[in-house]
Amino acid sequence: MVSSKPLELESEERRLRATDKEKEALFADNKEEQQGLSAPTLVAVFSTFFIVLFLFVPKIYLSNNIYYMSRSIQKLQSQEEILQEEKNRLQLELEKQRYKYSIENMQ
């Protein structure tokens, strides 16, 4: 078969093509680079993670404690209000009973 490309283009294309040895060398370099993180990078990532963890765990713990304490305080305050209302009702009832007793004793 006769190629439709001019001879100059074919010779330039052959010159630009990589040989098998060059291909193997290129792929070998890629395999070495893709084996993972280096040790200093890994140490830096873990140290950053532990520093952030060390800084934020106490804040999260305190926030949760504050939340649950405020819930219990709110519950106690509502119980106090209910007991105050009950006390007032009982005082009124007692006052009615005293008045009734005093009227009955007057007669």
Side-chain angles (χ1 to χ4, degrees), residues 90-107:
L90 289 173
Q91 283 178 341
L92 287 174
E93 186 69 32
L94 179 63
E95 193 67 34
K96 285 180 187 178
Q97 291 297 326
R98 284 185 182 158
Y99 180 73
K100 187 177 178 180
Y101 177 75
S102 67
I103 291 188
E104 287 179 359
N105 281 343
M106 289 183 141
Q107 295 175 357

PDB file of all heavy atoms in Angstrom, residues 90-107:
ATOM      1  N   LEU A  90     -53.034  26.459  97.247  1.00  0.00           N
ATOM      2  CA  LEU A  90     -53.268  25.904  98.583  1.00  0.00           C
ATOM      3  C   LEU A  90     -53.436  26.998  99.639  1.00  0.00           C
ATOM      4  O   LEU A  90     -54.232  26.861 100.573  1.00  0.00           O
ATOM      5  CB  LEU A  90     -52.128  24.966  98.975  1.00  0.00           C
ATOM      6  CG  LEU A  90     -52.087  23.641  98.217  1.00  0.00           C
ATOM      7  CD1 LEU A  90     -50.815  22.882  98.582  1.00  0.00           C
ATOM      8  CD2 LEU A  90     -53.311  22.805  98.498  1.00  0.00           C
ATOM      9  N   GLN A  91     -52.707  28.095  99.498  1.00  0.00           N
ATOM     10  CA  GLN A  91     -52.874  29.211 100.435  1.00  0.00           C
ATOM     11  C   GLN A  91     -54.263  29.829 100.320  1.00  0.00           C
ATOM     12  O   GLN A  91     -54.886  30.166 101.332  1.00  0.00           O
ATOM     13  CB  GLN A  91     -51.793  30.275 100.191  1.00  0.00           C
ATOM     14  CG  GLN A  91     -50.445  29.896 100.752  1.00  0.00           C
ATOM     15  CD  GLN A  91     -49.383  30.932 100.465  1.00  0.00           C
ATOM     16  OE1 GLN A  91     -49.531  31.768  99.570  1.00  0.00           O
ATOM     17  NE2 GLN A  91     -48.291  30.855 101.219  1.00  0.00           N
ATOM     18  N   LEU A  92     -54.724  29.945  99.082  1.00  0.00           N
ATOM     19  CA  LEU A  92     -56.087  30.454  98.892  1.00  0.00           C
ATOM     20  C   LEU A  92     -57.115  29.501  99.495  1.00  0.00           C
ATOM     21  O   LEU A  92     -58.081  29.932 100.145  1.00  0.00           O
ATOM     22  CB  LEU A  92     -56.378  30.674  97.408  1.00  0.00           C
ATOM     23  CG  LEU A  92     -55.709  31.875  96.747  1.00  0.00           C
ATOM     24  CD1 LEU A  92     -55.976  31.873  95.246  1.00  0.00           C
ATOM     25  CD2 LEU A  92     -56.188  33.158  97.382  1.00  0.00           C
ATOM     26  N   GLU A  93     -56.911  28.234  99.294  1.00  0.00           N
ATOM     27  CA  GLU A  93     -57.819  27.233  99.864  1.00  0.00           C
ATOM     28  C   GLU A  93     -57.802  27.292 101.390  1.00  0.00           C
ATOM     29  O   GLU A  93     -58.849  27.212 102.039  1.00  0.00           O
ATOM     30  CB  GLU A  93     -57.407  25.840  99.377  1.00  0.00           C
ATOM     31  CG  GLU A  93     -58.331  24.744  99.759  1.00  0.00           C
ATOM     32  CD  GLU A  93     -59.668  24.829  99.046  1.00  0.00           C
ATOM     33  OE1 GLU A  93     -59.720  25.300  97.896  1.00  0.00           O
ATOM     34  OE2 GLU A  93     -60.660  24.406  99.657  1.00  0.00           O
ATOM     35  N   LEU A  94     -56.607  27.433 101.961  1.00  0.00           N
ATOM     36  CA  LEU A  94     -56.485  27.550 103.410  1.00  0.00           C
ATOM     37  C   LEU A  94     -57.193  28.803 103.917  1.00  0.00           C
ATOM     38  O   LEU A  94     -57.876  28.779 104.952  1.00  0.00           O
ATOM     39  CB  LEU A  94     -55.003  27.566 103.794  1.00  0.00           C
ATOM     40  CG  LEU A  94     -54.687  27.715 105.268  1.00  0.00           C
ATOM     41  CD1 LEU A  94     -55.234  26.513 106.055  1.00  0.00           C
ATOM     42  CD2 LEU A  94     -53.201  27.863 105.472  1.00  0.00           C
ATOM     43  N   GLU A  95     -57.019  29.889 103.200  1.00  0.00           N
ATOM     44  CA  GLU A  95     -57.681  31.139 103.584  1.00  0.00           C
ATOM     45  C   GLU A  95     -59.198  30.983 103.545  1.00  0.00           C
ATOM     46  O   GLU A  95     -59.909  31.462 104.452  1.00  0.00           O
ATOM     47  CB  GLU A  95     -57.227  32.260 102.639  1.00  0.00           C
ATOM     48  CG  GLU A  95     -57.589  33.636 103.091  1.00  0.00           C
ATOM     49  CD  GLU A  95     -56.846  34.027 104.357  1.00  0.00           C
ATOM     50  OE1 GLU A  95     -55.698  33.618 104.556  1.00  0.00           O
ATOM     51  OE2 GLU A  95     -57.457  34.756 105.151  1.00  0.00           O
ATOM     52  N   LYS A  96     -59.698  30.292 102.561  1.00  0.00           N
ATOM     53  CA  LYS A  96     -61.148  30.049 102.476  1.00  0.00           C
ATOM     54  C   LYS A  96     -61.616  29.206 103.662  1.00  0.00           C
ATOM     55  O   LYS A  96     -62.663  29.475 104.260  1.00  0.00           O
ATOM     56  CB  LYS A  96     -61.500  29.333 101.170  1.00  0.00           C
ATOM     57  CG  LYS A  96     -61.455  30.194  99.956  1.00  0.00           C
ATOM     58  CD  LYS A  96     -61.812  29.372  98.716  1.00  0.00           C
ATOM     59  CE  LYS A  96     -61.619  30.169  97.463  1.00  0.00           C
ATOM     60  NZ  LYS A  96     -61.923  29.356  96.263  1.00  0.00           N
ATOM     61  N   GLN A  97     -60.833  28.186 103.989  1.00  0.00           N
ATOM     62  CA  GLN A  97     -61.199  27.314 105.114  1.00  0.00           C
ATOM     63  C   GLN A  97     -61.163  28.087 106.437  1.00  0.00           C
ATOM     64  O   GLN A  97     -62.037  27.909 107.295  1.00  0.00           O
ATOM     65  CB  GLN A  97     -60.263  26.097 105.188  1.00  0.00           C
ATOM     66  CG  GLN A  97     -60.416  25.108 104.071  1.00  0.00           C
ATOM     67  CD  GLN A  97     -61.799  24.474 104.050  1.00  0.00           C
ATOM     68  OE1 GLN A  97     -62.434  24.245 105.078  1.00  0.00           O
ATOM     69  NE2 GLN A  97     -62.264  24.191 102.838  1.00  0.00           N
ATOM     70  N   ARG A  98     -60.193  28.953 106.630  1.00  0.00           N
ATOM     71  CA  ARG A  98     -60.115  29.765 107.841  1.00  0.00           C
ATOM     72  C   ARG A  98     -61.319  30.701 107.942  1.00  0.00           C
ATOM     73  O   ARG A  98     -61.904  30.889 109.014  1.00  0.00           O
ATOM     74  CB  ARG A  98     -58.815  30.572 107.867  1.00  0.00           C
ATOM     75  CG  ARG A  98     -57.622  29.757 108.222  1.00  0.00           C
ATOM     76  CD  ARG A  98     -56.403  30.644 108.336  1.00  0.00           C
ATOM     77  NE  ARG A  98     -55.226  29.829 108.628  1.00  0.00           N
ATOM     78  CZ  ARG A  98     -54.003  30.192 108.385  1.00  0.00           C
ATOM     79  NH1 ARG A  98     -53.754  31.376 107.823  1.00  0.00           N
ATOM     80  NH2 ARG A  98     -52.994  29.387 108.681  1.00  0.00           N
ATOM     81  N   TYR A  99     -61.639  31.308 106.824  1.00  0.00           N
ATOM     82  CA  TYR A  99     -62.784  32.215 106.810  1.00  0.00           C
ATOM     83  C   TYR A  99     -64.066  31.453 107.148  1.00  0.00           C
ATOM     84  O   TYR A  99     -64.870  31.898 107.967  1.00  0.00           O
ATOM     85  CB  TYR A  99     -62.889  32.898 105.441  1.00  0.00           C
ATOM     86  CG  TYR A  99     -64.038  33.844 105.330  1.00  0.00           C
ATOM     87  CD1 TYR A  99     -64.005  35.077 105.986  1.00  0.00           C
ATOM     88  CD2 TYR A  99     -65.151  33.519 104.565  1.00  0.00           C
ATOM     89  CE1 TYR A  99     -65.067  35.949 105.896  1.00  0.00           C
ATOM     90  CE2 TYR A  99     -66.218  34.388 104.460  1.00  0.00           C
ATOM     91  CZ  TYR A  99     -66.170  35.598 105.123  1.00  0.00           C
ATOM     92  OH  TYR A  99     -67.230  36.453 105.026  1.00  0.00           O
ATOM     93  N   LYS A 100     -64.212  30.315 106.521  1.00  0.00           N
ATOM     94  CA  LYS A 100     -65.389  29.476 106.778  1.00  0.00           C
ATOM     95  C   LYS A 100     -65.432  29.053 108.251  1.00  0.00           C
ATOM     96  O   LYS A 100     -66.488  29.085 108.893  1.00  0.00           O
ATOM     97  CB  LYS A 100     -65.334  28.251 105.867  1.00  0.00           C
ATOM     98  CG  LYS A 100     -66.566  27.398 105.913  1.00  0.00           C
ATOM     99  CD  LYS A 100     -66.411  26.261 104.915  1.00  0.00           C
ATOM    100  CE  LYS A 100     -67.609  25.358 104.954  1.00  0.00           C
ATOM    101  NZ  LYS A 100     -67.479  24.232 103.996  1.00  0.00           N
ATOM    102  N   TYR A 101     -64.304  28.676 108.821  1.00  0.00           N
ATOM    103  CA  TYR A 101     -64.232  28.263 110.229  1.00  0.00           C
ATOM    104  C   TYR A 101     -64.560  29.435 111.141  1.00  0.00           C
ATOM    105  O   TYR A 101     -65.294  29.290 112.141  1.00  0.00           O
ATOM    106  CB  TYR A 101     -62.841  27.707 110.506  1.00  0.00           C
ATOM    107  CG  TYR A 101     -62.634  27.313 111.939  1.00  0.00           C
ATOM    108  CD1 TYR A 101     -63.216  26.139 112.441  1.00  0.00           C
ATOM    109  CD2 TYR A 101     -61.862  28.097 112.800  1.00  0.00           C
ATOM    110  CE1 TYR A 101     -63.028  25.764 113.753  1.00  0.00           C
ATOM    111  CE2 TYR A 101     -61.680  27.737 114.120  1.00  0.00           C
ATOM    112  CZ  TYR A 101     -62.265  26.573 114.586  1.00  0.00           C
ATOM    113  OH  TYR A 101     -62.069  26.211 115.914  1.00  0.00           O
ATOM    114  N   SER A 102     -64.020  30.599 110.832  1.00  0.00           N
ATOM    115  CA  SER A 102     -64.300  31.776 111.673  1.00  0.00           C
ATOM    116  C   SER A 102     -65.779  32.153 111.622  1.00  0.00           C
ATOM    117  O   SER A 102     -66.338  32.563 112.641  1.00  0.00           O
ATOM    118  CB  SER A 102     -63.405  32.935 111.285  1.00  0.00           C
ATOM    119  OG  SER A 102     -63.720  33.392 110.020  1.00  0.00           O
ATOM    120  N   ILE A 103     -66.429  32.034 110.501  1.00  0.00           N
ATOM    121  CA  ILE A 103     -67.857  32.359 110.375  1.00  0.00           C
ATOM    122  C   ILE A 103     -68.682  31.337 111.152  1.00  0.00           C
ATOM    123  O   ILE A 103     -69.631  31.704 111.852  1.00  0.00           O
ATOM    124  CB  ILE A 103     -68.286  32.415 108.894  1.00  0.00           C
ATOM    125  CG1 ILE A 103     -67.623  33.628 108.262  1.00  0.00           C
ATOM    126  CG2 ILE A 103     -69.775  32.463 108.767  1.00  0.00           C
ATOM    127  CD1 ILE A 103     -68.060  33.954 106.907  1.00  0.00           C
ATOM    128  N   GLU A 104     -68.303  30.090 111.074  1.00  0.00           N
ATOM    129  CA  GLU A 104     -69.049  29.046 111.783  1.00  0.00           C
ATOM    130  C   GLU A 104     -68.879  29.204 113.298  1.00  0.00           C
ATOM    131  O   GLU A 104     -69.806  28.933 114.062  1.00  0.00           O
ATOM    132  CB  GLU A 104     -68.593  27.646 111.342  1.00  0.00           C
ATOM    133  CG  GLU A 104     -69.066  27.279 109.973  1.00  0.00           C
ATOM    134  CD  GLU A 104     -68.572  25.899 109.541  1.00  0.00           C
ATOM    135  OE1 GLU A 104     -67.849  25.248 110.309  1.00  0.00           O
ATOM    136  OE2 GLU A 104     -68.897  25.515 108.413  1.00  0.00           O
ATOM    137  N   ASN A 105     -67.761  29.631 113.766  1.00  0.00           N
ATOM    138  CA  ASN A 105     -67.522  29.803 115.190  1.00  0.00           C
ATOM    139  C   ASN A 105     -68.178  31.058 115.739  1.00  0.00           C
ATOM    140  O   ASN A 105     -68.424  31.142 116.943  1.00  0.00           O
ATOM    141  CB  ASN A 105     -66.024  29.828 115.481  1.00  0.00           C
ATOM    142  CG  ASN A 105     -65.415  28.457 115.497  1.00  0.00           C
ATOM    143  OD1 ASN A 105     -66.121  27.458 115.605  1.00  0.00           O
ATOM    144  ND2 ASN A 105     -64.106  28.419 115.350  1.00  0.00           N
ATOM    145  N   MET A 106     -68.451  32.004 114.936  1.00  0.00           N
ATOM    146  CA  MET A 106     -69.083  33.244 115.387  1.00  0.00           C
ATOM    147  C   MET A 106     -70.543  33.010 115.733  1.00  0.00           C
ATOM    148  O   MET A 106     -71.112  33.695 116.533  1.00  0.00           O
ATOM    149  CB  MET A 106     -68.976  34.340 114.328  1.00  0.00           C
ATOM    150  CG  MET A 106     -67.605  34.875 114.170  1.00  0.00           C
ATOM    151  SD  MET A 106     -67.695  36.157 112.982  1.00  0.00           S
ATOM    152  CE  MET A 106     -66.600  37.282 113.691  1.00  0.00           C
ATOM    153  N   GLN A 107     -71.165  32.108 115.138  1.00  0.00           N
ATOM    154  CA  GLN A 107     -72.584  31.906 115.348  1.00  0.00           C
ATOM    155  C   GLN A 107     -72.890  31.187 116.569  1.00  0.00           C
ATOM    156  O   GLN A 107     -72.691  30.635 117.440  1.00  0.00           O
ATOM    157  CB  GLN A 107     -73.208  31.167 114.182  1.00  0.00           C
ATOM    158  CG  GLN A 107     -73.142  31.994 112.949  1.00  0.00           C
ATOM    159  CD  GLN A 107     -73.669  31.215 111.745  1.00  0.00           C
ATOM    160  OE1 GLN A 107     -74.025  30.053 111.843  1.00  0.00           O
ATOM    161  NE2 GLN A 107     -73.743  31.887 110.648  1.00  0.00           N
TER     162      GLN A 107
END
